[in-house]
Amino acid sequence: MAATNIEVWQQATVIETTAVTEHIKRIVLRPDLPRRADPGSHIDVKVNLPSSTQGEALKRSYSVVESANDGARLTVSVFRAPSSRGGSVAMHALQVGDTLEVTQPLQNFPLRIGAPRYLLLAGGIGITAIAAMARVLRELHADYTLVYAGRSRAAMAYLDDLQQLHGRQLVAHINDEGTNLDVASLVAALAPDTELYMCGPIRLMDSVRRSWLEKQLDPANLRFETFGNSGWYAPQEFTVRIPRLGISTTVSPDRSMLEALEDAGADMMFDCRKGECGLCEVRVLRLEGAIDHRDVFYSDRQQKAGEKICCCVSRVASVGAVGGAVQGPEQGLPGIVIEVP
Ligand code: FES
């Protein structure tokens, strides 16, 4: 059976780990309840924090880079963020034989077969959500181009393998080689019936969305995976308060505001936890710093207004040199005061 959207948790055993770049590790899992992972699917993982004495776990989502046909082997690749103090550090510490709790493959970034032509666009670790799509399109002899952008060859996971597999179908843009991606030109050159699938940093995806709108291409042909994990500012610690509920807590750089509020006892609404559905929306009453909107739910105008925030992915940052520093009311941190529905 293929991936669905029903969350079924199971145990999985680590059967292989390999460093594919300095900061990216490839981890192969053998799940207890195998299910095939179609291109675009991901698994959620419960990651135990190394510092936790109470079995505290974070939930993280990772794209399935490769899967055996029957799902008996699932490969994910994990980027260890320099600022991480939890999730990705714990994933990188996994050893062969360790077990962890994972979902069966979940699908909310499906590849539609049958489009006249495809552009697959990956920025950095976003290649993990795109690689399996490219493989399938190649097998189907579809008309596709895989565009892969990154800082340097050494930082781009699987680049050599992809070049070997896709040949001229792969176009690499590598910043330190001076071949930076020009998003506006890329989108301007597209045939109107192209379907574009992308995953990468929010700035890249934002820029593609703008060019897409400018060119008046069909919004239904622009599909993306977010994982809500990259923003305009590096993640910082900040405070969040809900006066009506008497809740005041600190959000560490490796936790989301939603997770911190849940830990503090707030009964929060949510669904995707990826900045896509808007269900976790909260109202901003006061702000000490800048909102780092990391969702794809609000329009530019709504994000600029700053009246609401998707608390599953968006954060607060002290703006420092960008627009003047503002200190938070507690512990010198940036902060936000909110109301929940
Ligand atoms: S839970 Fe979907 S946007 Fe936050």
Side-chain angles (χ1 to χ4, degrees), residues 15 43 51 56 75 104 135 176 181 190 207 251 254 259 266 273 297 314 318:
I15 56 173
I43 54 172
S51 54
E56 189 188 3
T75 303
Q104 287 186 321
R135 204 161 42 239
D176 74 356
L181 174 63
L190 292 178
S207 163
V251 184
D254 60 333
E259 288 167 340
R273 298 182 91 109
F297 177 72
S314 297
S318 80

PDB file of all heavy atoms in Angstrom, residues 15 43 51 56 75 104 135 176 181 190 207 251 254 259 266 273 297 314 318:
ATOM      1  N   ILE A  15      19.224   0.998  10.191  1.00  0.00           N
ATOM      2  CA  ILE A  15      20.064  -0.082   9.641  1.00  0.00           C
ATOM      3  C   ILE A  15      21.298   0.464   8.918  1.00  0.00           C
ATOM      4  O   ILE A  15      22.170  -0.295   8.526  1.00  0.00           O
ATOM      5  CB  ILE A  15      19.248  -1.035   8.720  1.00  0.00           C
ATOM      6  CG1 ILE A  15      18.565  -0.263   7.597  1.00  0.00           C
ATOM      7  CG2 ILE A  15      18.241  -1.812   9.513  1.00  0.00           C
ATOM      8  CD1 ILE A  15      17.899  -1.192   6.579  1.00  0.00           C
ATOM      9  N   ILE A  43       8.014  11.162   6.476  1.00  0.00           N
ATOM     10  CA  ILE A  43       7.623  10.516   7.729  1.00  0.00           C
ATOM     11  C   ILE A  43       7.787  11.526   8.854  1.00  0.00           C
ATOM     12  O   ILE A  43       8.643  12.413   8.782  1.00  0.00           O
ATOM     13  CB  ILE A  43       8.455   9.245   8.036  1.00  0.00           C
ATOM     14  CG1 ILE A  43       9.959   9.543   8.000  1.00  0.00           C
ATOM     15  CG2 ILE A  43       8.104   8.111   7.103  1.00  0.00           C
ATOM     16  CD1 ILE A  43      10.815   8.376   8.486  1.00  0.00           C
ATOM     17  N   SER A  51      19.117  16.147  26.008  1.00  0.00           N
ATOM     18  CA  SER A  51      19.186  16.813  27.311  1.00  0.00           C
ATOM     19  C   SER A  51      18.001  16.451  28.216  1.00  0.00           C
ATOM     20  O   SER A  51      17.979  16.800  29.377  1.00  0.00           O
ATOM     21  CB  SER A  51      19.190  18.321  27.089  1.00  0.00           C
ATOM     22  OG  SER A  51      18.057  18.654  26.304  1.00  0.00           O
ATOM     23  N   GLU A  56      11.228  13.588  27.045  1.00  0.00           N
ATOM     24  CA  GLU A  56      10.590  14.611  26.217  1.00  0.00           C
ATOM     25  C   GLU A  56      10.949  14.371  24.756  1.00  0.00           C
ATOM     26  O   GLU A  56      12.100  14.114  24.432  1.00  0.00           O
ATOM     27  CB  GLU A  56      11.120  15.970  26.674  1.00  0.00           C
ATOM     28  CG  GLU A  56      10.428  17.137  26.079  1.00  0.00           C
ATOM     29  CD  GLU A  56      11.171  18.427  26.447  1.00  0.00           C
ATOM     30  OE1 GLU A  56      12.228  18.355  27.104  1.00  0.00           O
ATOM     31  OE2 GLU A  56      10.689  19.476  26.045  1.00  0.00           O
ATOM     32  N   THR A  75      14.671   5.742   3.436  1.00  0.00           N
ATOM     33  CA  THR A  75      15.860   6.574   3.635  1.00  0.00           C
ATOM     34  C   THR A  75      15.442   8.029   3.815  1.00  0.00           C
ATOM     35  O   THR A  75      14.682   8.567   3.005  1.00  0.00           O
ATOM     36  CB  THR A  75      16.790   6.473   2.409  1.00  0.00           C
ATOM     37  OG1 THR A  75      17.117   5.100   2.217  1.00  0.00           O
ATOM     38  CG2 THR A  75      18.064   7.275   2.608  1.00  0.00           C
ATOM     39  N   GLN A 104       4.100   5.794   9.477  1.00  0.00           N
ATOM     40  CA  GLN A 104       4.177   5.267   8.120  1.00  0.00           C
ATOM     41  C   GLN A 104       4.268   6.470   7.186  1.00  0.00           C
ATOM     42  O   GLN A 104       3.926   7.586   7.578  1.00  0.00           O
ATOM     43  CB  GLN A 104       2.929   4.438   7.820  1.00  0.00           C
ATOM     44  CG  GLN A 104       2.936   3.102   8.535  1.00  0.00           C
ATOM     45  CD  GLN A 104       1.774   2.235   8.129  1.00  0.00           C
ATOM     46  OE1 GLN A 104       0.652   2.725   7.942  1.00  0.00           O
ATOM     47  NE2 GLN A 104       2.013   0.946   7.991  1.00  0.00           N
ATOM     48  N   ARG A 135      13.423  10.946 -10.015  1.00  0.00           N
ATOM     49  CA  ARG A 135      13.704   9.562 -10.411  1.00  0.00           C
ATOM     50  C   ARG A 135      12.500   8.969 -11.147  1.00  0.00           C
ATOM     51  O   ARG A 135      12.626   8.339 -12.190  1.00  0.00           O
ATOM     52  CB  ARG A 135      14.035   8.745  -9.157  1.00  0.00           C
ATOM     53  CG  ARG A 135      14.863   7.514  -9.425  1.00  0.00           C
ATOM     54  CD  ARG A 135      15.552   6.983  -8.187  1.00  0.00           C
ATOM     55  NE  ARG A 135      14.719   7.003  -7.015  1.00  0.00           N
ATOM     56  CZ  ARG A 135      15.011   7.660  -5.896  1.00  0.00           C
ATOM     57  NH1 ARG A 135      16.113   8.349  -5.798  1.00  0.00           N
ATOM     58  NH2 ARG A 135      14.203   7.626  -4.864  1.00  0.00           N
ATOM     59  N   ASP A 176      29.091  29.458  -4.839  1.00  0.00           N
ATOM     60  CA  ASP A 176      30.525  29.786  -4.793  1.00  0.00           C
ATOM     61  C   ASP A 176      31.238  29.484  -6.116  1.00  0.00           C
ATOM     62  O   ASP A 176      32.440  29.657  -6.237  1.00  0.00           O
ATOM     63  CB  ASP A 176      31.222  29.159  -3.573  1.00  0.00           C
ATOM     64  CG  ASP A 176      31.432  27.668  -3.711  1.00  0.00           C
ATOM     65  OD1 ASP A 176      30.983  27.084  -4.722  1.00  0.00           O
ATOM     66  OD2 ASP A 176      32.055  27.084  -2.801  1.00  0.00           O
ATOM     67  N   LEU A 181      21.336  30.991  -8.953  1.00  0.00           N
ATOM     68  CA  LEU A 181      20.044  30.853  -9.620  1.00  0.00           C
ATOM     69  C   LEU A 181      19.373  32.219  -9.761  1.00  0.00           C
ATOM     70  O   LEU A 181      19.261  32.968  -8.791  1.00  0.00           O
ATOM     71  CB  LEU A 181      19.150  29.925  -8.779  1.00  0.00           C
ATOM     72  CG  LEU A 181      17.710  29.775  -9.227  1.00  0.00           C
ATOM     73  CD1 LEU A 181      17.636  29.143 -10.607  1.00  0.00           C
ATOM     74  CD2 LEU A 181      16.927  28.941  -8.226  1.00  0.00           C
ATOM     75  N   LEU A 190       9.537  29.669 -18.570  1.00  0.00           N
ATOM     76  CA  LEU A 190       8.709  28.454 -18.518  1.00  0.00           C
ATOM     77  C   LEU A 190       7.573  28.480 -19.530  1.00  0.00           C
ATOM     78  O   LEU A 190       6.948  29.529 -19.745  1.00  0.00           O
ATOM     79  CB  LEU A 190       8.084  28.304 -17.122  1.00  0.00           C
ATOM     80  CG  LEU A 190       9.043  27.991 -15.976  1.00  0.00           C
ATOM     81  CD1 LEU A 190       8.263  27.916 -14.664  1.00  0.00           C
ATOM     82  CD2 LEU A 190       9.781  26.686 -16.237  1.00  0.00           C
ATOM     83  N   SER A 207      10.369  33.887  -3.605  1.00  0.00           N
ATOM     84  CA  SER A 207      10.758  34.538  -4.841  1.00  0.00           C
ATOM     85  C   SER A 207      10.108  33.845  -6.050  1.00  0.00           C
ATOM     86  O   SER A 207       9.642  34.500  -6.989  1.00  0.00           O
ATOM     87  CB  SER A 207      12.296  34.500  -4.868  1.00  0.00           C
ATOM     88  OG  SER A 207      12.780  34.716  -6.077  1.00  0.00           O
ATOM     89  N   VAL A 251      10.508  30.304  24.116  1.00  0.00           N
ATOM     90  CA  VAL A 251      10.619  29.395  22.968  1.00  0.00           C
ATOM     91  C   VAL A 251      12.097  29.299  22.610  1.00  0.00           C
ATOM     92  O   VAL A 251      12.708  30.300  22.220  1.00  0.00           O
ATOM     93  CB  VAL A 251       9.812  29.937  21.764  1.00  0.00           C
ATOM     94  CG1 VAL A 251       9.847  28.935  20.619  1.00  0.00           C
ATOM     95  CG2 VAL A 251       8.384  30.278  22.160  1.00  0.00           C
ATOM     96  N   ASP A 254      15.289  25.680  18.973  1.00  0.00           N
ATOM     97  CA  ASP A 254      14.994  24.411  18.297  1.00  0.00           C
ATOM     98  C   ASP A 254      13.561  23.945  18.534  1.00  0.00           C
ATOM     99  O   ASP A 254      13.223  22.816  18.212  1.00  0.00           O
ATOM    100  CB  ASP A 254      15.970  23.333  18.765  1.00  0.00           C
ATOM    101  CG  ASP A 254      15.874  23.092  20.249  1.00  0.00           C
ATOM    102  OD1 ASP A 254      15.477  24.027  20.967  1.00  0.00           O
ATOM    103  OD2 ASP A 254      16.173  21.977  20.689  1.00  0.00           O
ATOM    104  N   GLU A 259       4.860  24.291  19.934  1.00  0.00           N
ATOM    105  CA  GLU A 259       5.323  23.267  20.882  1.00  0.00           C
ATOM    106  C   GLU A 259       5.516  23.859  22.278  1.00  0.00           C
ATOM    107  O   GLU A 259       5.139  23.253  23.283  1.00  0.00           O
ATOM    108  CB  GLU A 259       6.652  22.661  20.398  1.00  0.00           C
ATOM    109  CG  GLU A 259       6.504  21.758  19.185  1.00  0.00           C
ATOM    110  CD  GLU A 259       7.837  21.402  18.517  1.00  0.00           C
ATOM    111  OE1 GLU A 259       8.845  22.123  18.729  1.00  0.00           O
ATOM    112  OE2 GLU A 259       7.856  20.417  17.772  1.00  0.00           O
ATOM    113  N   ALA A 266      -1.197  25.213  27.115  1.00  0.00           N
ATOM    114  CA  ALA A 266      -2.236  25.821  26.267  1.00  0.00           C
ATOM    115  C   ALA A 266      -2.859  24.743  25.375  1.00  0.00           C
ATOM    116  O   ALA A 266      -2.150  23.866  24.877  1.00  0.00           O
ATOM    117  CB  ALA A 266      -1.625  26.926  25.410  1.00  0.00           C
ATOM    118  N   ARG A 273       1.049  21.666  10.924  1.00  0.00           N
ATOM    119  CA  ARG A 273       2.279  22.023  11.648  1.00  0.00           C
ATOM    120  C   ARG A 273       3.399  22.377  10.671  1.00  0.00           C
ATOM    121  O   ARG A 273       4.577  22.223  10.971  1.00  0.00           O
ATOM    122  CB  ARG A 273       2.731  20.871  12.585  1.00  0.00           C
ATOM    123  CG  ARG A 273       1.715  20.553  13.662  1.00  0.00           C
ATOM    124  CD  ARG A 273       2.186  19.456  14.602  1.00  0.00           C
ATOM    125  NE  ARG A 273       2.882  20.010  15.741  1.00  0.00           N
ATOM    126  CZ  ARG A 273       2.403  20.039  16.983  1.00  0.00           C
ATOM    127  NH1 ARG A 273       1.220  19.541  17.252  1.00  0.00           N
ATOM    128  NH2 ARG A 273       3.107  20.563  17.949  1.00  0.00           N
ATOM    129  N   PHE A 297       0.816  30.403   4.241  1.00  0.00           N
ATOM    130  CA  PHE A 297      -0.640  30.537   4.344  1.00  0.00           C
ATOM    131  C   PHE A 297      -1.088  31.972   4.082  1.00  0.00           C
ATOM    132  O   PHE A 297      -2.056  32.201   3.363  1.00  0.00           O
ATOM    133  CB  PHE A 297      -1.078  30.082   5.742  1.00  0.00           C
ATOM    134  CG  PHE A 297      -2.547  30.239   6.001  1.00  0.00           C
ATOM    135  CD1 PHE A 297      -3.472  29.402   5.385  1.00  0.00           C
ATOM    136  CD2 PHE A 297      -3.008  31.237   6.851  1.00  0.00           C
ATOM    137  CE1 PHE A 297      -4.830  29.561   5.612  1.00  0.00           C
ATOM    138  CE2 PHE A 297      -4.367  31.393   7.084  1.00  0.00           C
ATOM    139  CZ  PHE A 297      -5.285  30.549   6.469  1.00  0.00           C
ATOM    140  N   SER A 314       6.156  30.134  12.486  1.00  0.00           N
ATOM    141  CA  SER A 314       6.697  31.501  12.516  1.00  0.00           C
ATOM    142  C   SER A 314       7.276  31.821  13.890  1.00  0.00           C
ATOM    143  O   SER A 314       6.892  31.238  14.893  1.00  0.00           O
ATOM    144  CB  SER A 314       5.598  32.492  12.139  1.00  0.00           C
ATOM    145  OG  SER A 314       5.197  32.228  10.817  1.00  0.00           O
ATOM    146  N   SER A 318      14.900  39.357  17.320  1.00  0.00           N
ATOM    147  CA  SER A 318      15.307  40.736  17.573  1.00  0.00           C
ATOM    148  C   SER A 318      15.925  41.207  16.272  1.00  0.00           C
ATOM    149  O   SER A 318      16.746  40.505  15.677  1.00  0.00           O
ATOM    150  CB  SER A 318      16.298  40.826  18.729  1.00  0.00           C
ATOM    151  OG  SER A 318      17.560  40.491  18.310  1.00  0.00           O
TER     152      SER A 318
END
